[in-house]
Amino acid sequence: RKEVEQDPGPFNVPEGATVAFNCTYSNSASQSFFWYRQDCRKEPKLLMSVYSSGNEDGRFTAQLNRASQYISLLIRDSKLSDSATYLCVCSDAGNNRKLIWGLGTSLAVNP
Amino acid sequence: NAGVTQTPKFQVLKTGQSMTLQCAQDMNHNSMYWYRQDPGMGLRLIYYSASEGTTDKGEVPNGYNVSRLNKREFSLRLESAAPSQTSVYFCASSTPTGSNQPQHFGDGTRLSIL
């Protein structure tokens, strides 16, 4: 089993739609969690950290469920510019300086 | 703000040639990382440096060496390039404070080995 698992998609949604991605992680001792976005042939960019209480940044909401070991990302009012691959990331339980990366979920927002 | 700067952006090598990928960060981060990204494989850690003067192997270190020249710079060297090392290479850095340590990436080096 992969340490961080994501549905690869692709998710095809119309502009204005709400879309949610889930991700599961295998090591319950992981301490830090993030969502990154990666555009085609570009570097990963931090979208948001994920906190235990859940957190929101504009149209984006992240949730962490430690009991079930999953992380979610909700995007409301999707824009064309949201089209990208979304990477779920958690810290290595044995070494907090290292990150464990999911393979990503592909999102295409259509006009 | 420059952030993390990688050079070169593109490179084509012949099998057996050597080269060094350069990375520098201006964010005063202690930790630096080298990853490679291949289709269907995701990001894989090659080497990392938790702080100046230390380096450690990641998931796929074979065929690579690294040097943490100072706090700002972390270079990756291919001594004898092989076609299997054709990939996109990303350098990243992070701050050591607390448990929340997101990494910040350079824009990558696209390397082809013929």
Side-chain angles (χ1 to χ4, degrees):
Chain A
R1 181 186 170 192
K2 291 190 178 67
E3 292 187 71
V4 176
E5 294 204 57
Q6 301 181 245
D7 180 345
F11 285 64
N12 285 285
V13 301
E15 266 187 295
T18 296
V19 61
F21 307 136
N22 288 329
C23 158
T24 58
Y25 61 96
S26 61
N27 197 318
S28 60
S30 292
Q31 293 294 312
S32 303
F33 305 90
F34 311 97
W35 283 102
Y36 278 72
R37 101 170 244 164
Q38 187 171 26
D39 294 285
C40 187
R41 299 182 64 78
K42 298 286 189 180
E43 75 276 20
K45 291 184 178 177
L46 179 66
L47 180 65
M48 58 198 304
S49 301
V50 186
Y51 301 113
S52 297
S53 55
N55 48 299
E56 188 174 305
D57 183 1
R59 298 182 292 109
F60 299 86
T61 300
Q63 297 277 356
L64 168 63
N65 184 319
R66 286 191 181 272
S68 301
Q69 293 179 216
Y70 81 78
I71 306 154
S72 64
L73 177 68
L74 183 76
I75 305 175
R76 291 181 298 278
D77 188 23
S78 299
K79 311 293 185 190
L80 296 176
S81 58
D82 293 335
S83 298
T85 296
Y86 290 83
L87 303 172
C88 175
V89 190
C90 66
S91 59
D92 185 322
N95 182 344
N96 200 42
R97 294 182 186 278
K98 292 166 63 178
L99 298 178
I100 310 297
W101 297 79
L103 296 183
T105 297
S106 177
L107 171 66
V109 180
N110 305 305
Chain B
N1 290 338
V4 180
T5 303
Q6 290 184 236
T7 56
K9 294 197 185 327
F10 303 93
Q11 185 70 48
V12 179
L13 294 177
K14 293 181 180 177
T15 296
Q17 286 185 314
S18 62
M19 82 159 294
T20 299
L21 308 186
Q22 306 287 353
C23 175
Q25 52 91 10
D26 63 2
M27 296 177 283
N28 201 35
H29 286 171
N30 278 6
S31 301
M32 297 184 73
Y33 308 82
W34 276 105
Y35 291 92
R36 60 178 290 174
Q37 187 174 35
D38 304 288
M41 301 294 289
L43 281 163
R44 292 186 291 170
L45 183 65
I46 305 171
Y47 270 94
Y48 71 103
S49 171
S51 61
E52 187 178 354
T54 68
T55 60
D56 287 284
K57 294 179 180 179
E59 185 184 349
V60 289
N62 291 345
Y64 305 95
N65 286 302
V66 289
S67 294
R68 184 73 184 268
L69 304 169
N70 47 55
K71 190 171 184 178
R72 290 186 64 247
E73 299 173 288
F74 188 39
S75 62
L76 178 72
R77 183 160 178 83
L78 287 71
E79 290 291 351
S80 179
S84 61
Q85 294 177 305
T86 292
S87 189
V88 180
Y89 291 84
F90 290 107
C91 177
S93 69
S94 69
T95 176
T97 57
S99 62
N100 190 12
Q101 300 186 22
Q103 294 175 10
H104 303 273
F105 285 77
D107 54 12
T109 295
R110 283 149 187 81
L111 182 61
S112 293
I113 316 294
L114 305 178

